[in-house]
Amino acid sequence: MIDYQLIPPILGGAGLLCAFFIYMLVMRYPPGEDAITKIGDQIHLGAMVFMRREYTMLAMFAAAVLVAIYMSPLGTNTALAFLIGALCSATAGWLGMIAATKANVRTATAANTEGAATALAVAFYGGSVMGLCVASLGLIGLGSLYLYFGGDAHTAHAIHGFGMGGSVVALFSRVGGGIFTKSADVGADLVGKIEAGIPEDDPRNPGVIADNVGDNVGDVAGMGSDIFESYCGAMIASIAIAATFTASETQTAMMFLPLALSSIGLIASIIGIIIVRARSGSEPGQALRSGTIGAPVLFVIAAYFLIDGMGIERGVWFAVLSGAVGGILIGLITEYYTGGVPVKKIANSGETGPATVMITGLAVGMQSVVLPVLFISAIIFFSTQQAGLYGVGIAAVGMLSTVGITMAIDAYGPVADNAGGIAEMGGMGKETRDITDSLDELGNTTAAIGKGFAIGAAALAALAIIAAFVETVSINKPDFSLELSDPMVLVGLFIGGAIPFLIASITMTAVGDAAFEMIHEIRRQFREIPGLLEGTAEPDTARCVDIATTAALRRMLLPGAIAVVAPVVVGFTLGAESLGGMLGGGLLGCVLLALMMANAGGAWDNAKKYVEKGNLGGKGSDVHTAVVVGDTVGDPFKDTSGPSMNILINVMAIVSLVIAPLLSSS
Amino acid sequence: MIDYQLIPPILGGAGLLCAFFIYMLVMRYPPGEDAITKIGDQIHLGAMVFMRREYTMLAMFAAAVLVAIYMSPLGTNTALAFLIGALCSATAGWLGMIAATKANVRTATAANTEGAATALAVAFYGGSVMGLCVASLGLIGLGSLYLYFGGDAHTAHAIHGFGMGGSVVALFSRVGGGIFTKSADVGADLVGKIEAGIPEDDPRNPGVIADNVGDNVGDVAGMGSDIFESYCGAMIASIAIAATFTASETQTAMMFLPLALSSIGLIASIIGIIIVRARSGSEPGQALRSGTIGAPVLFVIAAYFLIDGMGIERGVWFAVLSGAVGGILIGLITEYYTGGVPVKKIANSGETGPATVMITGLAVGMQSVVLPVLFISAIIFFSTQQAGLYGVGIAAVGMLSTVGITMAIDAYGPVADNAGGIAEMGGMGKETRDITDSLDELGNTTAAIGKGFAIGAAALAALAIIAAFVETVSINKPDFSLELSDPMVLVGLFIGGAIPFLIASITMTAVGDAAFEMIHEIRRQFREIPGLLEGTAEPDTARCVDIATTAALRRMLLPGAIAVVAPVVVGFTLGAESLGGMLGGGLLGCVLLALMMANAGGAWDNAKKYVEKGNLGGKGSDVHTAVVVGDTVGDPFKDTSGPSMNILINVMAIVSLVIAPLLSSS
């Protein structure tokens, strides 16, 4: 019996080896001339400084949570799982970060010396390491815990702690990273471009390294931890739901199925990565697309045989299918709203000034929630018709199983973006810049799809965790019900709905405040370092990284604490019914705000780029000034507050699931 | 038995007489010189043109709904109630509108010839007619129907049709009026102030009459229909919930209680109006406040003896108390966010340009939802602890019973605002303008409180209607339950949450599009009418009113249709469970967006006014340019999309309640 349960962690180990192998491939490419290497090193070291500081703070926060769990009736097992979850997620972020920051400079050099195909390959390799690390470490960690705890109903609950560990890391990486990246971006742009009048990514700007570091910590490490959380959350929730079924051979199979699906998803992802590599000589967009589509298709086919072979009903496979298809569709809608007609409409509205850019962009963002929400509803409807609440969990697993390649393509974006920045800073010339620009543009599209996908996945994963929460509470409290007409549920629903608005407000304000500290420091350096503007002296870029780090980490504590503490407070004061209602309201609020903010932000960003390409008067025109306002508002929308919503709901859900046994025994 | 049931309609009749008497008081004041009278007439006629066109379209829409109801199994009784509800609401709007547009010019003249105290009295009288009409016609209509249908369980359900009638009127008045007022405002300002370089409210501007008309149709008629809907909705819901109780003497008393409470609320309101009048010689803010606080205090005291006298448990009185106190508290929070520290914060953020004004304003708006939502939760918690779901309905009734004075103070604002406009257009000199400005400023504060109150009231009323919906469905379908973990409920919840975002998006876009048509027409007149800018020719103001009317009414059909049709479609295709979930999600989404949009909009508006008073560089400074952008975005937020949310959720809820018997029999 034990043998097949060994497969997930072993496959995870193999995935890590693949990641290491790809990392070695990246390192075989030359980092370039000394000046270029130096810029690359600065970004790499800056990113590592941020990661180290972030992880130090995270370690303290996690230690406090760990002690709380250990002291609670949840005990050693949950505490152990929590620790392993946090370690796995943190390690994935760390490794992915090293690879991404090594790949960016090599991508720039490859673009300079070898051309687009090689540059694409290097950038994609860089992202692939992150993708494979997320998928592999998830499988290793969760697979091992399952092996250790899964067989026994008394210990199986401990696995939830793993999800909570991953969530706490995500909280720091995504929220902290989000504040860092945007405050650095805004600070560098404002003082450099507007006040000092030097171009973007100019090496004289003390904030420019921090800006590039931000792309990595926000979009690579932050996104990775976000996806890791959803990926493991979906598996944990499905296992938890299956655990409440009556014991039987099928039940055992259904408990193990999420891990099995993710295992074949990892294999499909590795094949997808090979496909992209093999086709990277052809049109880059085509190459990436063949991998993004190829891997899920392979996965869904393999899943059919797997489910059939495990003796599980076919309905479960349909749930897998609905998740996999739904994820792609939600991504495509996001691509439309952040790249299609709506973007031109926003740009056109710039002719009547910034106010209409704001109104149009907000209207686009609000409208853009409708279709994804209908698709999520359709997935819920379809998957539960096929396999009950377990179906929702499995649909989420289906959406997230090929995370290896999805995340690889996501992380490719910031690597290409960084390569462009390095090419600019290193003065590599127009031809190289054209290559990196085209790679970057492609990255923006993939990033938009990735963001939509991440929201859909987070929503389904959270929903599955909430379902698991309900089932877990019900075990000891058979009359437990979440009636919408129960006042306690309603009260929870309202509180839950307000929390996303509160967190969005706090994080948006945090970006502004942290940017203010950056602005202050960059101004100081321009003022106090003689010869800086003339290019005869060097800026103290490390200090800017340091200041943005401190500012970001200090400001992420409040939203982080709210996310972790709110479910505990509501659960133990108002009760499990209110907590359930709160999760429902929170889920709804988070999904709606996440979609609105991500899509409005993405659309504003691309409206600006559309104008900068020379449309409607191009750079320097009044329309440009108007769309720049939109982009500035969109920055914290799409890169800080919006993505925080994914984390928020998952943290609240997983904390609730972890404390569920304590609530139901009261 | 029948005698006491006659009291509400009779009191309603007495209230209408009071309103007529106050109207005569207004008419005793002189409209002023010929030029002034002419401006007043133009606004009055413009408003009446809008109302006539709106009501014509409304009549067609209502006729279609009427036929649908009549043909459905709901039959004649519900159709009759629907018709009466629509007529009562429309009549209240019509009468209030006449009074308001007669009072504005008389306020201006009183400010010019008699001073602040008289001007305040006239403006307040003008608003009082609207307030008393809303309260009285609600009592007459609902009281008569109760008399006619209430005694029999088979016919009592027909009363719900009354609420639906009021809701359909509100849909047109609030959404159509909201689009009208902001498109006229934006159009007149953009072409007049910016392109032609003439001051605001300059009589040469062809759009200026439409702008002033807009204040009346949006803030008087629109707000009135909104409050009417909540007022009657709360009573209907409480009656419906009480109707599901086991028959007993107490049950009969509890069914009648909402009407009885509103009856004493009307008396308290009339006393409040007298208090304000008596104190209008003292500080104006003090005078208004003594009425706003005095009436609810009187009401709550009287309610205690009423409930005690009717033999109903004391807990019900506590529910009344929680609603009355909660309404005031929510209003005060709104006042803080749209007038306190947050406004200065937004203004200060103007120093770094329009983008930071947007970010800060959005953050303020998002943060501002938290406390009101917690208060709403507290009211739900407290009132249901005291009296079950019936308590929520009664809390809403408690909040809304003194609607006569609340609405009077609300409607006072636009009258004072219009008086200022007329003083400007009529060239009445600085002293008069100072008086109207101070009255207007006071009006802005009361309007902010009124908006918060309206949202809180709409939320509670909608919740009560939803509770009534659940109870009504349960009668024929005893196993009906709205479990949050039921996939059908979840699907509904998601759909319901997305609808407010869709409607907000549509209405925001509608303002922009309608404004565009206005801009086109005003530009045409400046171009084609010789001597217009020189003041030797007259603008065709009626045509501008006509264009704004057509544009607004055409664009309100889509959101209106969605609001009415969505519950029917979801109810009959996905079932009662999904419809219940949709109402839950819709309620949450509407409340959150309504608060965010109203408060962000109000805060932006006041940040602009703060700068225009000379702070941070005053008019013409860069900060001013930045805060003007905020105000322009805030306009559709606070006057179109935000208020539409109140209507949206109430329309969806009441339509669901009306079709509830058809759903449960399936």
Side-chain angles (χ1 to χ4, degrees):
Chain A
M1 248 331 246
I2 197 76
D3 48 345
Y4 72 86
Q5 291 192 7
L6 278 167
I7 297 173
I10 290 174
L11 261 177
L16 263 195
L17 277 180
C18 275
F20 181 72
F21 175 71
I22 295 175
Y23 176 70
M24 294 313 290
L25 282 182
V26 170
M27 294 304 283
R28 269 178 39 199
Y29 291 92
E33 301 159 20
D34 283 356
I36 304 295
T37 307
K38 194 185 138 201
I39 297 169
D41 284 348
Q42 280 181 320
I43 296 175
H44 172 72
L45 290 175
M48 288 305 152
V49 164
F50 175 83
M51 296 292 277
R52 204 168 298 125
R53 296 264 313 271
E54 179 186 74
Y55 282 5
T56 309
M57 202 177 224
L58 172 61
M60 291 187 286
F61 190 90
V65 178
L66 191 69
V67 170
I69 295 175
Y70 182 76
M71 308 267 285
S72 79
L74 295 165
T76 324
N77 288 346
T78 302
L80 178 70
F82 172 83
L83 186 64
I84 294 176
L87 283 176
C88 283
S89 177
T91 308
W94 186 269
L95 296 178
M97 200 64 170
I98 293 177
T101 52
K102 291 288 179 191
N104 54 12
V105 61
R106 286 165 174 83
T107 302
T109 299
N112 197 26
T113 55
E114 313 210 12
T118 314
L120 172 69
V122 179
F124 180 67
Y125 281 156
S128 300
V129 175
M130 182 81 218
L132 289 178
C133 284
V134 165
S136 304
L137 281 160
L139 270 183
I140 293 176
L142 208 49
S144 310
L145 284 176
Y146 188 84
L147 209 59
Y148 189 59
F149 290 130
D152 186 345
H154 291 283
T155 55
H157 176 72
I159 294 176
H160 307 167
F162 184 85
M164 192 167 157
S167 286
V168 167
V169 174
L171 200 59
F172 274 74
S173 296
R174 193 56 140 157
V175 183
I179 299 173
F180 179 100
T181 180
K182 285 305 125 181
S183 61
D185 187 8
V186 171
D189 279 5
L190 208 75
V191 184
K193 282 206 285 194
I194 299 175
E195 294 183 10
I198 57 178
E200 194 167 344
D201 289 327
D202 190 292
R204 289 170 292 176
N205 189 334
V208 79
I209 295 293
D211 186 8
N212 280 282
V213 166
D215 292 340
N216 289 293
V217 302
D219 293 346
V220 178
M223 182 67 136
S225 66
D226 183 348
I227 297 278
F228 184 91
E229 176 193 56
S230 298
Y231 177 64
C232 297
M235 286 193 273
I236 291 168
S238 306
I239 296 171
I241 297 171
T244 63
F245 297 162
T246 323
S248 73
E249 210 166 297
T250 320
Q251 186 247 3
T252 315
M254 285 170 93
M255 270 185 80
F256 183 67
L257 182 63
L259 284 163
L261 286 172
S262 294
S263 299
I264 60 169
L266 176 60
I267 299 173
S269 295
I270 293 174
I271 298 174
I273 290 172
I274 296 170
I275 297 176
V276 174
R277 176 64 193 101
R279 302 198 51 173
S280 68
S282 67
E283 203 263 306
Q286 206 60 45
L288 290 185
R289 216 165 292 128
S290 57
T292 336
I293 304 291
V297 168
L298 267 179
F299 162 73
V300 167
I301 295 170
Y304 178 85
F305 294 104
L306 176 77
I307 289 168
D308 203 48
M310 287 172 79
I312 298 170
E313 283 177 47
R314 189 156 306 164
V316 172
W317 178 73
F318 282 109
V320 171
L321 183 68
S322 71
V325 173
I328 294 172
L329 289 178
I330 293 171
L332 291 178
I333 296 164
T334 311
E335 192 190 359
Y336 168 74
Y337 276 107
T338 59
V341 180
V343 168
K344 283 192 191 130
K345 217 177 135 193
I346 294 174
N348 289 332
S349 72
E351 305 213 24
T352 38
T356 36
V357 169
M358 294 308 310
I359 292 177
T360 315
L362 287 167
V364 164
M366 286 177 165
Q367 194 196 321
S368 76
V369 311
V370 178
L371 282 180
V373 164
L374 288 183
F375 277 119
I376 293 174
S377 300
I379 297 173
I380 296 172
F381 178 78
F382 190 76
S383 63
T384 51
Q385 286 272 327
Q386 295 293 330
L389 280 179
Y390 178 72
V392 174
I394 285 296
V397 172
M399 194 186 273
L400 283 152
S401 282
T402 50
V403 94
I405 184 134
T406 320
M407 184 67 224
I409 291 173
D410 266 4
Y412 151 86
V415 173
D417 186 12
N418 254 239
I422 293 170
E424 178 76 31
M425 282 185 266
M428 279 185 176
K430 194 178 170 308
E431 213 168 305
T432 307
R433 282 264 22 185
D434 282 349
I435 293 176
T436 56
D437 278 356
S438 70
L439 294 182
D440 183 21
E441 200 176 320
L442 189 62
N444 282 327
T445 310
T446 61
I449 299 180
K451 259 176 196 146
F453 174 85
I455 296 168
L460 274 196
L463 183 57
I465 300 172
I466 296 170
F469 163 79
V470 175
E471 301 295 323
T472 308
V473 175
S474 302
I475 294 174
N476 299 319
K477 202 177 178 182
D479 63 336
F480 180 62
S481 108
L482 286 182
E483 277 278 349
L484 255 186
S485 50
D486 174 354
M488 295 316 289
V489 176
L490 272 173
V491 166
L493 191 80
F494 273 100
I495 295 174
I499 290 178
F501 281 76
L502 178 63
I503 300 293
S505 168
I506 294 175
T507 48
M508 263 165 49
T509 311
V511 170
D513 293 347
F516 187 76
E517 295 184 29
M518 272 291 282
I519 290 169
H520 198 74
E521 170 62 19
I522 299 174
R523 280 183 184 156
R524 188 195 64 76
Q525 291 201 18
F526 273 126
R527 201 172 52 233
E528 295 182 6
I529 301 179
L532 180 54
L533 256 181
E534 296 72 32
T536 56
E538 287 199 5
D540 186 355
T541 55
R543 186 148 170 73
C544 284
V545 172
D546 184 63
I547 283 180
T549 303
T550 311
L553 293 179
R554 197 171 59 231
R555 286 185 174 78
M556 69 83 35
L557 278 179
L558 177 63
I562 292 174
V564 174
V565 172
V568 179
V569 170
V570 169
F572 287 110
T573 60
L574 298 176
E577 284 78 10
S578 289
L579 180 53
M582 183 175 112
L583 293 178
L587 174 62
L588 187 60
C590 282
V591 171
L592 293 169
L593 277 190
L595 287 166
M596 185 197 109
M597 297 183 105
N599 292 340
W604 274 319
D605 185 10
N606 284 326
K608 186 194 72 170
K609 289 192 174 125
Y610 175 75
V611 174
E612 286 182 348
K613 273 187 194 153
N615 297 298
L616 300 165
K619 273 194 184 182
S621 64
D622 282 350
V623 175
H624 186 237
T625 313
V627 291
V628 164
V629 172
D631 182 48
T632 311
V633 177
D635 269 346
F637 258 49
K638 73 181 200 308
D639 292 321
T640 312
S641 304
S644 302
M645 296 295 119
N646 298 350
I647 313 295
L648 174 61
I649 185 56
N650 272 296
V651 168
M652 292 203 299
I654 197 85
V655 170
S656 305
L657 179 60
V658 167
I659 63 171
L662 308 182
L663 296 172
S664 47
S665 61
S666 68
Chain B
M1 242 341 240
I2 197 78
D3 49 345
Y4 72 86
Q5 290 193 6
L6 278 168
I7 296 173
I10 289 174
L11 260 178
L16 263 196
L17 277 181
C18 276
F20 182 72
F21 174 72
I22 295 175
Y23 176 69
M24 295 312 292
L25 281 182
V26 170
M27 294 305 283
R28 269 178 41 198
Y29 290 93
E33 301 160 21
D34 283 355
I36 304 295
T37 308
K38 194 183 137 201
I39 297 169
D41 284 347
Q42 280 181 320
I43 297 175
H44 173 71
L45 291 175
M48 287 306 151
V49 163
F50 175 82
M51 295 294 277
R52 205 169 298 126
R53 297 263 314 268
E54 180 186 72
Y55 281 5
T56 309
M57 203 175 221
L58 172 61
M60 291 188 287
F61 189 90
V65 177
L66 191 69
V67 170
I69 295 176
Y70 182 75
M71 309 267 285
S72 80
L74 296 165
T76 325
N77 288 347
T78 301
L80 178 70
F82 172 82
L83 186 64
I84 295 176
L87 284 176
C88 283
S89 176
T91 308
W94 186 269
L95 296 178
M97 199 64 171
I98 293 177
T101 53
K102 291 288 178 192
N104 54 12
V105 60
R106 288 166 172 80
T107 302
T109 299
N112 198 26
T113 55
E114 311 210 14
T118 314
L120 172 69
V122 179
F124 181 67
Y125 280 157
S128 300
V129 175
M130 182 82 219
L132 288 179
C133 284
V134 165
S136 303
L137 281 160
L139 269 184
I140 293 176
L142 208 50
S144 309
L145 285 176
Y146 188 85
L147 210 57
Y148 189 60
F149 291 130
D152 184 347
H154 291 284
T155 55
H157 176 72
I159 294 175
H160 307 167
F162 184 86
M164 192 167 156
S167 285
V168 167
V169 174
L171 200 59
F172 274 75
S173 296
R174 194 56 141 154
V175 183
I179 299 173
F180 180 99
T181 181
K182 284 305 124 183
S183 61
D185 187 10
V186 171
D189 280 4
L190 207 74
V191 186
K193 283 206 285 193
I194 298 174
E195 294 183 10
I198 57 178
E200 194 166 344
D201 289 326
D202 189 292
R204 290 170 291 176
N205 189 335
V208 79
I209 294 293
D211 187 7
N212 279 282
V213 167
D215 292 340
N216 289 292
V217 303
D219 293 347
V220 179
M223 182 68 136
S225 66
D226 183 347
I227 298 278
F228 183 91
E229 176 193 55
S230 298
Y231 178 63
C232 297
M235 285 193 272
I236 291 169
S238 306
I239 295 171
I241 297 170
T244 63
F245 295 163
T246 322
S248 73
E249 211 166 297
T250 319
Q251 185 247 4
T252 314
M254 284 170 94
M255 268 185 82
F256 184 67
L257 181 64
L259 284 162
L261 285 172
S262 294
S263 299
I264 59 169
L266 177 60
I267 299 172
S269 294
I270 294 173
I271 297 174
I273 290 173
I274 295 170
I275 296 175
V276 174
R277 176 65 191 98
R279 303 198 51 173
S280 68
S282 68
E283 204 263 304
Q286 206 60 44
L288 291 184
R289 216 164 294 128
S290 57
T292 335
I293 304 292
V297 169
L298 266 179
F299 162 73
V300 167
I301 295 170
Y304 179 84
F305 294 104
L306 176 78
I307 290 169
D308 203 47
M310 287 173 79
I312 298 169
E313 284 177 45
R314 188 156 305 166
V316 173
W317 179 73
F318 281 109
V320 170
L321 183 70
S322 71
V325 173
I328 294 171
L329 288 179
I330 292 171
L332 290 178
I333 296 164
T334 310
E335 192 190 359
Y336 168 74
Y337 276 108
T338 59
V341 179
V343 168
K344 284 192 191 133
K345 217 177 136 193
I346 293 175
N348 288 334
S349 73
E351 306 214 24
T352 37
T356 36
V357 170
M358 294 309 311
I359 293 177
T360 315
L362 287 167
V364 164
M366 287 177 165
Q367 194 196 321
S368 77
V369 311
V370 178
L371 281 180
V373 164
L374 289 183
F375 277 119
I376 292 174
S377 300
I379 297 173
I380 296 172
F381 179 78
F382 190 76
S383 62
T384 52
Q385 288 271 326
Q386 295 292 330
L389 279 179
Y390 179 73
V392 174
I394 285 296
V397 172
M399 194 185 274
L400 282 152
S401 283
T402 50
V403 94
I405 184 135
T406 320
M407 183 68 224
I409 290 173
D410 265 3
Y412 151 87
V415 172
D417 186 12
N418 255 239
I422 293 171
E424 178 75 33
M425 284 186 265
M428 280 185 175
K430 193 178 171 307
E431 213 167 303
T432 307
R433 285 261 25 183
D434 282 350
I435 293 177
T436 57
D437 278 356
S438 72
L439 294 182
D440 183 21
E441 201 175 319
L442 188 61
N444 282 327
T445 310
T446 61
I449 299 179
K451 257 173 197 149
F453 175 85
I455 297 169
L460 273 197
L463 183 57
I465 301 172
I466 297 171
F469 163 80
V470 175
E471 300 295 323
T472 308
V473 175
S474 303
I475 294 174
N476 299 319
K477 203 176 176 180
D479 62 335
F480 181 62
S481 108
L482 287 182
E483 276 278 350
L484 255 186
S485 51
D486 174 355
M488 296 315 290
V489 175
L490 272 174
V491 166
L493 190 80
F494 273 100
I495 296 175
I499 290 178
F501 282 76
L502 178 62
I503 300 292
S505 168
I506 294 175
T507 48
M508 265 167 44
T509 312
V511 170
D513 293 348
F516 187 75
E517 295 183 28
M518 272 292 282
I519 290 170
H520 200 72
E521 170 61 19
I522 298 174
R523 281 183 184 157
R524 188 194 65 77
Q525 292 200 17
F526 274 125
R527 202 173 51 233
E528 295 181 5
I529 301 179
L532 180 55
L533 257 181
E534 296 73 31
T536 56
E538 286 199 4
D540 186 355
T541 54
R543 188 150 169 72
C544 283
V545 172
D546 184 63
I547 283 179
T549 304
T550 311
L553 293 180
R554 198 170 60 230
R555 286 186 175 76
M556 67 84 34
L557 279 179
L558 177 64
I562 293 174
V564 174
V565 172
V568 179
V569 170
V570 169
F572 288 110
T573 60
L574 298 176
E577 284 77 10
S578 289
L579 180 52
M582 184 176 111
L583 293 177
L587 174 63
L588 187 61
C590 282
V591 171
L592 292 168
L593 277 190
L595 287 166
M596 185 197 110
M597 296 183 106
N599 292 341
W604 273 320
D605 185 11
N606 284 327
K608 186 194 71 171
K609 288 190 174 128
Y610 176 75
V611 173
E612 287 181 348
K613 273 187 193 152
N615 297 299
L616 300 165
K619 273 195 184 182
S621 65
D622 283 348
V623 176
H624 186 237
T625 312
V627 290
V628 164
V629 172
D631 181 48
T632 311
V633 177
D635 268 346
F637 259 50
K638 74 180 199 308
D639 292 321
T640 312
S641 304
S644 302
M645 297 295 119
N646 298 351
I647 311 296
L648 175 62
I649 184 56
N650 273 296
V651 168
M652 293 203 299
I654 197 86
V655 169
S656 305
L657 179 60
V658 168
I659 64 171
L662 309 182
L663 295 172
S664 47
S665 60
S666 67

